[in-house]
Amino acid sequence: MILKRNILIVIAIISFSNSVFSQWTQEKNKGFYKLSAWYLEADKHYTDTGETDPNTTRGLFNINLYGEYGISKKFDVIAYIPFFSRSFENSVVSGTTGEVIEKGEGFNSVGDIEFGIKYGILNIKNYAWSTTLSFGIPTGSSEGGSDGSFQTGDGEFNQNLRTDFGISYHLGELPVYSKVYLGFNNRTKGFSDEFRTGLEFGANIIKDKLWLIGKGDVLNSLKNGSLNSQNSQGSIFANNIEFVSLGAEINYYLTPKFGVSLNYSSAVSGRIIYASPSISGGIFLDIK
């Protein structure tokens, strides 16, 4: 039961990174804004040894607003606001009698908000290098529901420093870009710090209309925190989680500025995380 309550919905970290699909900063007074919904439901999880075990079906759903705005040619301000977040557990029903063995439950609140600033270090020809400092504000609930295990936040203030390097080019007539990133997340209140890295590849399949994107992300815990993931009662945002995740995204411009997006991501290996995919979809406004 303790482990079940401590499975981290870490895929949220991936989907919460609703970054613009490229590494370039915005021009002054330009911006990218996205309103989206994110959903994950899982009946199995990776254990602390990397194996998979079943669990009572749990999940998380949120509606969020993400924005990047260029305050100068070099600096962007960034905000991620999950203004509605729901942590839930489905009822446990007997497969033979149909009797409800354990009644389901849900808890709603605001999630953890993030603010940040991005600085464009280099932008020469087809190359771009930027760095981003973001702050995770514990505005979600770390003790929700009847037993305190339905969380919409981890209750800690964290600082994430990340740098991105990318290049745009052509494959034949096809405009594409590739980028890699490295990041370090300093976590408070006994949580272990984290090392993050990943890569992304995007292709403009239909000129000025359709972008297809593939992503890979890796998170490693430094395991230097004092909080034991097995003892963090009531928190599904556990300590010392790790994962390797793959994802794909479609962005389609309905007009030169307005479009829709769909994302699918899943951890292919991990520790103390759900072993199920997440799906998100939304609308975006790209003011260039």
Side-chain angles (χ1 to χ4, degrees):
M1 178 64 76
I2 292 176
L3 179 59
K4 181 187 75 174
R5 291 176 178 176
N6 288 303
I7 301 165
L8 174 71
I9 304 180
V10 72
I11 307 303
I13 295 173
I14 304 167
S15 296
F16 288 178
S17 302
N18 283 304
S19 58
V20 179
F21 41 96
S22 71
Q23 64 283 348
W24 289 267
T25 53
Q26 305 290 327
E27 296 289 335
K28 185 178 180 180
N29 298 328
K30 307 299 182 182
F32 180 90
Y33 312 94
K34 181 188 284 186
L35 175 66
S36 63
W38 179 91
Y39 181 80
L40 181 148
E41 183 176 292
D43 58 5
K44 58 183 179 181
H45 62 275
Y46 292 105
T47 69
D48 56 356
T49 61
E51 304 296 325
T52 56
D53 271 352
N55 54 261
T56 302
T57 303
R58 281 202 166 196
L60 184 69
F61 170 79
N62 73 56
I63 303 175
N64 60 82
L65 180 64
Y66 176 84
E68 289 191 13
Y69 176 77
I71 58 176
S72 73
K73 188 176 180 179
K74 289 282 190 177
F75 286 97
D76 292 350
V77 290
I78 302 169
Y80 165 75
I81 305 172
F83 54 86
F84 175 80
S85 183
R86 177 176 176 79
S87 176
F88 64 90
E89 177 178 298
N90 292 346
S91 297
V92 179
V93 180
S94 170
T96 55
T97 66
E99 179 184 1
V100 176
I101 300 172
E102 181 179 340
K103 189 177 181 180
E105 184 178 346
F107 175 77
N108 306 328
S109 78
V110 175
D112 283 354
I113 295 173
E114 293 185 16
F115 293 108
I117 188 164
K118 179 190 289 186
Y119 175 68
I121 300 172
L122 175 70
N123 191 350
I124 300 177
K125 295 184 178 179
N126 298 335
Y127 300 92
W129 180 23
S130 64
T131 188
T132 303
L133 176 62
S134 60
F135 302 95
I137 314 299
T139 47
S141 175
S142 61
E143 297 180 349
S146 60
D147 62 359
S149 68
F150 292 83
Q151 275 61 56
T152 55
D154 55 18
E156 58 98 7
F157 174 75
N158 67 286
Q159 311 90 49
N160 185 25
L161 182 63
R162 162 174 167 161
T163 187
D164 293 70
F165 181 80
I167 179 174
S168 62
Y169 50 100
H170 282 77
L171 287 179
E173 298 295 325
L174 198 64
V176 299
Y177 73 87
S178 300
K179 74 174 182 180
V180 296
Y181 76 87
L182 296 173
F184 176 79
N185 185 28
N186 177 53
R187 309 186 73 190
T188 60
K189 293 195 173 181
F191 284 87
S192 296
D193 300 325
E194 297 167 341
F195 172 76
R196 302 177 181 181
T197 187
L199 52 83
E200 181 176 317
F201 174 82
N204 189 192
I205 302 300
I206 301 176
K207 184 179 180 181
D208 299 329
K209 284 287 188 180
L210 177 63
W211 282 88
L212 297 182
I213 299 168
K215 300 179 179 180
D217 296 273
V218 177
L219 185 150
N220 287 112
S221 172
L222 300 187
K223 295 184 172 61
N224 58 351
S226 59
L227 183 64
N228 189 323
S229 62
Q230 298 299 315
N231 295 323
S232 56
Q233 284 283 0
S235 174
I236 58 173
F237 292 83
N239 192 27
N240 294 339
I241 59 89
E242 296 182 318
F243 67 82
V244 176
S245 174
L246 298 178
E249 184 172 317
I250 299 172
N251 291 277
Y252 185 78
Y253 283 81
L254 300 171
T255 73
K257 296 182 179 179
F258 177 75
V260 295
S261 69
L262 181 65
N263 181 286
Y264 176 94
S265 298
S266 183
V268 295
S269 67
R271 297 177 189 274
I272 323 177
I273 67 171
Y274 280 145
S276 293
S278 68
I279 299 173
S280 66
I283 56 176
F284 64 82
L285 183 64
D286 187 3
I287 301 176
K288 304 175 182 176

